[in-house]
């Protein structure tokens, strides 16, 4: 493993690694530009700060002096209960789900070359919501809501795959088909809720909006196992996605195999999003916003996969901290806060582009 500054070092075959890339063997070249390193360090510090606040703030928060013992598994009494049942699993799931969504969004946006590309846009979240609604209201107690959401997400992606006629290889068709599937998923959810009694539909409120309440270590294990399995594969294609931003013809000439890279990227993004949905419900805007923030922090090209994952984890932990500590609302799903964060950020971008005369 080397941090190369020599452009003659090859990352894959005849494709040469540019300056400032961390090269692992002949298959992996990870960007290590100075701006990226500084952004990574800053985001990591903010994430650790938010994590400590999650564990220590509030009426049931741990004493900061007792935090090391809790992390080492030596907590006793109330601290043991709070860490193992309330705060610890919730924090671990929040970081994992946020990272999965941020990474998924970065993959989608790289493949579609569209800053609005995300699992939300192509129908995955709507499919998950429809699956959750059907299982919770039509088959209560028979099929777990989380499993229903996962089935709905996979079904939605299967419909997108079939309806494009080219699988996941054509970005334009992918987005158009995804919008159609998202509309159908939303309509199905509303129909199921409307057709049944409203008091029964209340059980869906938190899940459809995304929630981290009552998460367990098994939920944390699920999302982190998927992350650990998918992350190395995203590292393997990161260089190809970076080259792909120069266009299919150029990347094909450089041996990046853009069609295969795009298909694999979409499959990995779907796996990440489906895993996140299965443990927390469809949390909006993290996948859309995190890659944009990562890109603007470095002001560089490329998918910024690692920074997008870290940014997604930070955003979701911060949103969940608000959900737990703000006194105005009790038990408000974290997805409501992520919608507010995403809406505010997109509004900021619109105002900025309008002032620059772009819009």
């Amino acid at each position: 493993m080397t941090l190369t500054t020599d452009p003659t070092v090859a990352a894959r075959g005849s494709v040469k690694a540019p300056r400032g890339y961390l090269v692992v063997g002949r298959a992996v070249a990870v960007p290590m530009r100075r701006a990226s390193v500084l952004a990574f360090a800053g985001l990591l510090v903010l994430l650790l700060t938010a994590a400590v606040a999650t564990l220590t703030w509030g009426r049931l928060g741990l004493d900061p002096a007792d935090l090391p013992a809790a992390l080492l598994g030596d907590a006793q009494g109330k601290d043991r209960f709070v860490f193992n049942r309330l705060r610890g699993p919730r924090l671990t799931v929040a970081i994992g789900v946020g990272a999965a969504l941020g990474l998924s969004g970065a993959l989608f946006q790289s493949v579609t070359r569209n800053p609005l590309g995300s699992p939300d846009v192509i129908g995955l979240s709507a499919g998950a919501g429809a699956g959750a609604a059907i299982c919770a209201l039509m088959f209560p107690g028979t099929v777990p809501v989380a499993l229903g959401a996962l089935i709905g997400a996979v079904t939605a992606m299967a419909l997108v795959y079939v309806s494009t006629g080219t699988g996941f290889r054509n970005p334009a068709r992918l987005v158009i088909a995804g919008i159609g599937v998202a509309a159908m998923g939303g309509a199905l959810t509303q129909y199921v809720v409307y057709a049944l009694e409203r008091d029964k539909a209340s059980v869906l409120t938190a899940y459809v909006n995304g929630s981290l309440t009552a998460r367990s270590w098994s939920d944390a294990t699920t999302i982190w196992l998927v992350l650990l399995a998918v992350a190395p594969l995203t590292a393997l294609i990161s260089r190809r996605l970076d080259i792909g931003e120069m266009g299919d013809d150029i990347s094909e000439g450089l041996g990046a195999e853009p069609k295969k890279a795009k298909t694999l990227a979409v499959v990995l993004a779907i796996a990440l999003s489906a895993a996140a949905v299965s443990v927390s419900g469809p949390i909006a805007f993290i996948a859309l916003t995190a890659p944009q923030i990562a890109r603007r922090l470095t002001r560089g090209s490329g998918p910024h996969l690692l920074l997008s994952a870290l940014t997604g984890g930070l955003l979701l932990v911060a949103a969940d901290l608000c959900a737990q500590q703000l006194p105005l609302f009790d038990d408000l799903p974290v997805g409501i806060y992520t919608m507010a964060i995403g809406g505010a950020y997109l509004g900021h971008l619109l105002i900025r582009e309008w002032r620059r005369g772009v819009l």
Side-chain angles (χ1 to χ4, degrees):
M1 183 184 302
T2 58
L3 176 59
T4 180
T5 56
D6 185 356
T8 64
V9 178
R12 177 187 177 277
S14 61
V15 180
K16 296 180 179 179
R19 295 179 183 274
Y21 269 72
L22 177 67
V23 176
V24 184
R26 296 175 60 85
V28 179
V30 181
M32 292 291 288
R33 303 180 184 91
R34 182 173 180 272
S36 299
V37 174
L38 292 177
F40 176 85
L43 289 170
L44 185 60
V45 169
L46 290 175
L47 178 58
L48 292 175
T49 302
V52 170
T54 298
L55 295 174
T56 58
W57 283 8
R59 183 170 55 87
L60 295 176
L62 303 176
D63 189 299
D66 297 329
L67 189 56
L71 294 175
L72 294 174
D74 297 330
Q76 302 296 326
K78 178 183 77 71
D79 288 352
R80 184 182 184 88
F81 175 79
V82 170
F83 182 79
N84 288 328
R85 297 292 297 275
L86 300 180
R87 301 286 179 89
R90 184 167 182 161
L91 172 63
T92 308
V93 170
I95 296 174
V97 168
L101 292 175
L103 185 55
S104 176
L107 290 170
F108 269 117
Q109 291 177 17
S110 177
V111 167
T112 61
R113 298 177 195 165
N114 187 336
L116 297 179
S118 77
D120 307 325
V121 173
I122 69 164
L124 189 144
S125 297
I134 292 172
C135 290
L137 301 181
M138 291 185 170
F139 306 102
T142 303
V143 181
V145 176
L147 179 59
L150 181 59
I151 294 173
V154 173
T155 302
M157 291 302 93
L159 287 174
V160 171
Y161 183 90
V162 172
S163 60
T164 60
T166 57
F168 298 131
R169 294 191 297 272
N170 189 306
R173 292 187 181 183
L174 179 65
V175 172
I176 294 173
I179 292 173
V181 171
M184 290 189 294
L188 180 58
T189 301
Q190 294 302 320
Y191 170 77
V192 172
V193 172
Y194 180 79
L196 299 176
E197 297 179 15
R198 293 184 181 274
D199 58 341
K200 291 182 180 179
S202 63
V203 301
L204 270 179
T205 302
Y207 195 86
V208 170
N209 288 296
S211 176
L212 295 173
T213 303
R215 299 303 96 181
S216 65
W217 287 117
S218 63
D219 295 318
T221 301
T222 298
I223 188 63
W224 279 99
L225 282 178
V226 174
L227 267 175
L228 291 176
V230 172
L233 298 176
T234 62
L236 289 174
I237 64 171
S238 62
R239 176 65 177 150
R240 295 185 182 186
L241 294 177
D242 201 357
I243 295 175
E245 294 200 351
M246 294 185 288
D248 288 349
D249 292 338
I250 295 178
S251 58
E252 187 74 42
L254 293 174
E257 299 177 305
K259 292 182 179 179
K260 291 183 179 179
K262 289 178 181 180
T263 299
L264 180 57
V266 171
V267 171
L268 295 177
I270 290 172
L272 289 165
S273 300
V277 164
S278 71
V279 300
S280 66
I283 296 178
F285 275 113
I286 296 295
L288 180 66
T289 308
Q292 294 300 310
I293 295 177
R295 182 182 291 270
R296 281 164 174 76
L297 285 175
T298 61
R299 298 182 182 277
S301 61
H304 300 292
L305 301 179
L306 179 60
L307 288 183
S308 296
L310 191 58
T311 303
L314 173 60
L315 289 176
L316 190 52
V317 171
D320 190 48
L321 187 61
C322 293
Q324 293 183 65
Q325 301 299 334
L326 288 183
L328 299 178
F329 308 100
D330 292 328
D331 299 324
L332 196 65
V334 69
I336 303 297
Y337 288 95
T338 63
M339 289 180 188
I341 292 173
Y345 182 71
L346 290 178
H348 163 72
L349 288 183
L350 287 173
I351 293 174
R352 179 182 176 184
E353 296 302 311
W354 175 70
R355 288 179 175 176
R356 292 173 56 190
V358 176
L359 297 179

